[in-house]
Amino acid sequence: MSVLNQSFMQGFIRMCTDGYAAGWHERNGGNASYRIKPEEIAAIAPQLNTSGAWLPIHASVPNLAGEFFLFTGTGKFFRNVELKPESCLGILEVDATGEQYRVIWGFADGGGPTCELPTHLLNHQVKKLATDGKFRVVYHGHPVNIIALTFVLPLDAQVFSHELWQMMTECPIIFPAGVGVVPWMLPGKPDVGIATSKLMETYDAAVWAHHGIFCTGEDFDTTYGLLHVIEKAAAIKVATMSMAGEHKRQTITREDFLSVAREFGLTLNEDFLR
Ligand code: 13P
Ligand code: ZN
């Protein structure tokens, strides 16, 4: 079966297409990656080209040595992924040291993986360790409302987590750890990757001030769904602030959150309930 017909490829393409339709990927905005399972790589092995040059990752990911990833390309538009997956997407192999990668499929028109390669791989490394290998997806988008909030709320995980949880009853069930917040930093550099992956030890999502958000998860549905839920909660926050600023006539209380936690067996960060 061709690379393009594999179900991981189809799931990845669908996530890109849906993200574009949701408005999170203007022009080449956003990027995505998937850590490919050994049996999925084995199924396409004859179609891979391992003659390409090893290139520096500009980050150290020894825990990902020998792993394979599907990535969006730098400068590629999400709206084109479904039409031209073999030029917008590529498969990478990480070397035995975790310092280098090579392209073994895709990027047919040239180019390479997203400029956020260091952040993606550092996040994968942290999540692979933290979830015993379960998490395989890292997804970055530029959703309007979450970015808007980074201009008016303090850039603080407590405030963002508390406010987003309060906007929809299901939020603490979907992201019980809350969300991390990265201050404004230069994109596409190892430093922002190090800062983000540090937060991923605690959270599954990290807001990037005045830029966007990174989400991680087990599969395409849960990772896409996490971004969707956070952005919807942010939209409700923007709507309530547009109507009444910081004033809330009523809201979900600390006791309400505690009863949700009891009912769903969640451990909520107590600091974020205040
Ligand atoms: P790429 O086109 O390199 O993926 O960059 C887009 C982006 O969102 C950078 O943060
Ligand atoms: Zn971006």
mmCIF file of all heavy atoms in Angstrom, residues 162-182:
data_model
loop_
_atom_site.group_PDB
_atom_site.id
_atom_site.type_symbol
_atom_site.label_atom_id
_atom_site.label_comp_id
_atom_site.label_asym_id
_atom_site.label_seq_id
_atom_site.Cartn_x
_atom_site.Cartn_y
_atom_site.Cartn_z
ATOM 1 N N HIS A 162 -7.194 28.837 35.037
ATOM 2 C CA HIS A 162 -8.404 29.135 35.807
ATOM 3 C C HIS A 162 -9.492 29.740 34.910
ATOM 4 O O HIS A 162 -10.645 29.304 34.944
ATOM 5 C CB HIS A 162 -8.042 30.101 36.945
ATOM 6 C CG HIS A 162 -9.191 30.483 37.808
ATOM 7 N ND1 HIS A 162 -9.641 29.679 38.826
ATOM 8 C CD2 HIS A 162 -10.006 31.565 37.788
ATOM 9 C CE1 HIS A 162 -10.680 30.266 39.412
ATOM 10 N NE2 HIS A 162 -10.928 31.398 38.796
ATOM 11 N N GLU A 163 -9.119 30.740 34.128
ATOM 12 C CA GLU A 163 -10.119 31.415 33.281
ATOM 13 C C GLU A 163 -10.680 30.462 32.225
ATOM 14 O O GLU A 163 -11.882 30.445 31.977
ATOM 15 C CB GLU A 163 -9.515 32.660 32.616
ATOM 16 C CG GLU A 163 -9.194 33.777 33.592
ATOM 17 C CD GLU A 163 -10.428 34.288 34.339
ATOM 18 O OE1 GLU A 163 -11.546 34.244 33.782
ATOM 19 O OE2 GLU A 163 -10.258 34.708 35.498
ATOM 20 N N LEU A 164 -9.804 29.659 31.590
ATOM 21 C CA LEU A 164 -10.293 28.741 30.552
ATOM 22 C C LEU A 164 -11.179 27.657 31.169
ATOM 23 O O LEU A 164 -12.245 27.331 30.634
ATOM 24 C CB LEU A 164 -9.121 28.125 29.779
ATOM 25 C CG LEU A 164 -8.312 29.115 28.928
ATOM 26 C CD1 LEU A 164 -7.071 28.443 28.341
ATOM 27 C CD2 LEU A 164 -9.156 29.710 27.794
ATOM 28 N N TRP A 165 -10.778 27.126 32.317
ATOM 29 C CA TRP A 165 -11.616 26.117 33.000
ATOM 30 C C TRP A 165 -13.012 26.679 33.278
ATOM 31 O O TRP A 165 -14.012 25.985 33.149
ATOM 32 C CB TRP A 165 -10.979 25.724 34.335
ATOM 33 C CG TRP A 165 -9.863 24.735 34.255
ATOM 34 C CD1 TRP A 165 -9.375 24.102 33.145
ATOM 35 C CD2 TRP A 165 -9.072 24.255 35.358
ATOM 36 N NE1 TRP A 165 -8.334 23.262 33.484
ATOM 37 C CE2 TRP A 165 -8.125 23.344 34.834
ATOM 38 C CE3 TRP A 165 -9.052 24.512 36.734
ATOM 39 C CZ2 TRP A 165 -7.194 22.678 35.636
ATOM 40 C CZ3 TRP A 165 -8.124 23.864 37.532
ATOM 41 C CH2 TRP A 165 -7.201 22.952 36.986
ATOM 42 N N GLN A 166 -13.059 27.952 33.694
ATOM 43 C CA GLN A 166 -14.352 28.533 34.073
ATOM 44 C C GLN A 166 -15.291 28.726 32.882
ATOM 45 O O GLN A 166 -16.496 28.875 33.062
ATOM 46 C CB GLN A 166 -14.130 29.893 34.742
ATOM 47 C CG GLN A 166 -13.745 29.776 36.209
ATOM 48 C CD GLN A 166 -14.056 31.036 36.976
ATOM 49 O OE1 GLN A 166 -14.113 32.124 36.402
ATOM 50 N NE2 GLN A 166 -14.255 30.903 38.265
ATOM 51 N N MET A 167 -14.746 28.731 31.661
ATOM 52 C CA MET A 167 -15.580 29.069 30.509
ATOM 53 C C MET A 167 -16.470 27.928 30.037
ATOM 54 O O MET A 167 -17.482 28.156 29.389
ATOM 55 C CB MET A 167 -14.700 29.559 29.342
ATOM 56 C CG MET A 167 -14.028 30.885 29.617
ATOM 57 S SD MET A 167 -15.211 32.204 30.005
ATOM 58 C CE MET A 167 -14.897 32.464 31.749
ATOM 59 N N MET A 168 -16.100 26.685 30.327
ATOM 60 C CA MET A 168 -16.943 25.541 29.934
ATOM 61 C C MET A 168 -16.727 24.431 30.952
ATOM 62 O O MET A 168 -15.589 24.088 31.272
ATOM 63 C CB MET A 168 -16.569 24.995 28.547
ATOM 64 C CG MET A 168 -16.984 25.849 27.371
ATOM 65 S SD MET A 168 -16.921 24.917 25.793
ATOM 66 C CE MET A 168 -15.203 24.489 25.663
ATOM 67 N N THR A 169 -17.812 23.831 31.386
ATOM 68 C CA THR A 169 -17.740 22.796 32.424
ATOM 69 C C THR A 169 -16.802 21.654 32.055
ATOM 70 O O THR A 169 -16.143 21.078 32.911
ATOM 71 C CB THR A 169 -19.161 22.253 32.674
ATOM 72 O OG1 THR A 169 -19.931 23.329 33.207
ATOM 73 C CG2 THR A 169 -19.171 21.092 33.638
ATOM 74 N N GLU A 170 -16.716 21.339 30.751
ATOM 75 C CA GLU A 170 -15.898 20.181 30.358
ATOM 76 C C GLU A 170 -14.398 20.478 30.331
ATOM 77 O O GLU A 170 -13.590 19.549 30.237
ATOM 78 C CB GLU A 170 -16.341 19.675 28.977
ATOM 79 C CG GLU A 170 -17.815 19.323 28.928
ATOM 80 C CD GLU A 170 -18.059 17.885 28.521
ATOM 81 O OE1 GLU A 170 -17.369 17.436 27.612
ATOM 82 O OE2 GLU A 170 -18.938 17.237 29.111
ATOM 83 N N CYS A 171 -14.006 21.762 30.407
ATOM 84 C CA CYS A 171 -12.576 22.105 30.274
ATOM 85 C C CYS A 171 -11.680 21.379 31.278
ATOM 86 O O CYS A 171 -10.670 20.784 30.866
ATOM 87 C CB CYS A 171 -12.367 23.611 30.337
ATOM 88 S SG CYS A 171 -12.794 24.413 28.779
ATOM 89 N N PRO A 172 -11.997 21.405 32.580
ATOM 90 C CA PRO A 172 -11.090 20.707 33.506
ATOM 91 C C PRO A 172 -11.061 19.198 33.274
ATOM 92 O O PRO A 172 -10.090 18.543 33.648
ATOM 93 C CB PRO A 172 -11.645 21.049 34.893
ATOM 94 C CG PRO A 172 -13.027 21.534 34.656
ATOM 95 C CD PRO A 172 -13.071 22.115 33.284
ATOM 96 N N ILE A 173 -12.077 18.652 32.633
ATOM 97 C CA ILE A 173 -12.067 17.213 32.329
ATOM 98 C C ILE A 173 -11.115 16.951 31.151
ATOM 99 O O ILE A 173 -10.393 15.951 31.134
ATOM 100 C CB ILE A 173 -13.499 16.719 32.001
ATOM 101 C CG1 ILE A 173 -14.439 17.033 33.169
ATOM 102 C CG2 ILE A 173 -13.512 15.231 31.658
ATOM 103 C CD1 ILE A 173 -15.913 16.892 32.843
ATOM 104 N N ILE A 174 -11.086 17.871 30.188
ATOM 105 C CA ILE A 174 -10.248 17.695 28.990
ATOM 106 C C ILE A 174 -8.784 18.051 29.275
ATOM 107 O O ILE A 174 -7.875 17.414 28.760
ATOM 108 C CB ILE A 174 -10.762 18.576 27.814
ATOM 109 C CG1 ILE A 174 -12.258 18.404 27.581
ATOM 110 C CG2 ILE A 174 -9.966 18.316 26.529
ATOM 111 C CD1 ILE A 174 -12.679 17.049 27.110
ATOM 112 N N PHE A 175 -8.564 19.105 30.077
ATOM 113 C CA PHE A 175 -7.161 19.444 30.415
ATOM 114 C C PHE A 175 -7.021 19.703 31.916
ATOM 115 O O PHE A 175 -6.832 20.829 32.362
ATOM 116 C CB PHE A 175 -6.591 20.585 29.556
ATOM 117 C CG PHE A 175 -7.426 21.838 29.416
ATOM 118 C CD1 PHE A 175 -7.096 22.989 30.129
ATOM 119 C CD2 PHE A 175 -8.501 21.896 28.547
ATOM 120 C CE1 PHE A 175 -7.842 24.165 30.004
ATOM 121 C CE2 PHE A 175 -9.253 23.057 28.407
ATOM 122 C CZ PHE A 175 -8.918 24.187 29.144
ATOM 123 N N PRO A 176 -7.076 18.604 32.710
ATOM 124 C CA PRO A 176 -7.046 18.725 34.176
ATOM 125 C C PRO A 176 -5.759 19.327 34.731
ATOM 126 O O PRO A 176 -5.771 19.881 35.835
ATOM 127 C CB PRO A 176 -7.230 17.280 34.660
ATOM 128 C CG PRO A 176 -6.878 16.415 33.503
ATOM 129 C CD PRO A 176 -7.216 17.209 32.278
ATOM 130 N N ALA A 177 -4.669 19.255 33.974
ATOM 131 C CA ALA A 177 -3.413 19.856 34.460
ATOM 132 C C ALA A 177 -3.395 21.363 34.223
ATOM 133 O O ALA A 177 -2.553 22.067 34.771
ATOM 134 C CB ALA A 177 -2.217 19.210 33.770
ATOM 135 N N GLY A 178 -4.317 21.881 33.398
ATOM 136 C CA GLY A 178 -4.294 23.289 33.007
ATOM 137 C C GLY A 178 -3.476 23.480 31.739
ATOM 138 O O GLY A 178 -3.176 22.518 31.022
ATOM 139 N N VAL A 179 -3.122 24.738 31.460
ATOM 140 C CA VAL A 179 -2.277 25.033 30.293
ATOM 141 C C VAL A 179 -1.067 25.843 30.751
ATOM 142 O O VAL A 179 -1.170 26.684 31.639
ATOM 143 C CB VAL A 179 -3.030 25.832 29.195
ATOM 144 C CG1 VAL A 179 -4.178 25.025 28.613
ATOM 145 C CG2 VAL A 179 -3.510 27.180 29.704
ATOM 146 N N GLY A 180 0.076 25.592 30.119
ATOM 147 C CA GLY A 180 1.264 26.396 30.386
ATOM 148 C C GLY A 180 1.271 27.636 29.502
ATOM 149 O O GLY A 180 0.541 27.693 28.507
ATOM 150 N N VAL A 181 2.064 28.616 29.871
ATOM 151 C CA VAL A 181 2.169 29.842 29.074
ATOM 152 C C VAL A 181 3.647 30.188 28.879
ATOM 153 O O VAL A 181 4.403 30.271 29.848
ATOM 154 C CB VAL A 181 1.449 31.029 29.763
ATOM 155 C CG1 VAL A 181 1.553 32.286 28.894
ATOM 156 C CG2 VAL A 181 -0.006 30.699 30.052
ATOM 157 N N VAL A 182 4.021 30.362 27.617
ATOM 158 C CA VAL A 182 5.392 30.765 27.268
ATOM 159 C C VAL A 182 5.349 32.253 26.933
ATOM 160 O O VAL A 182 4.505 32.674 26.143
ATOM 161 C CB VAL A 182 5.892 29.966 26.030
ATOM 162 C CG1 VAL A 182 7.313 30.382 25.651
ATOM 163 C CG2 VAL A 182 5.830 28.471 26.304
#
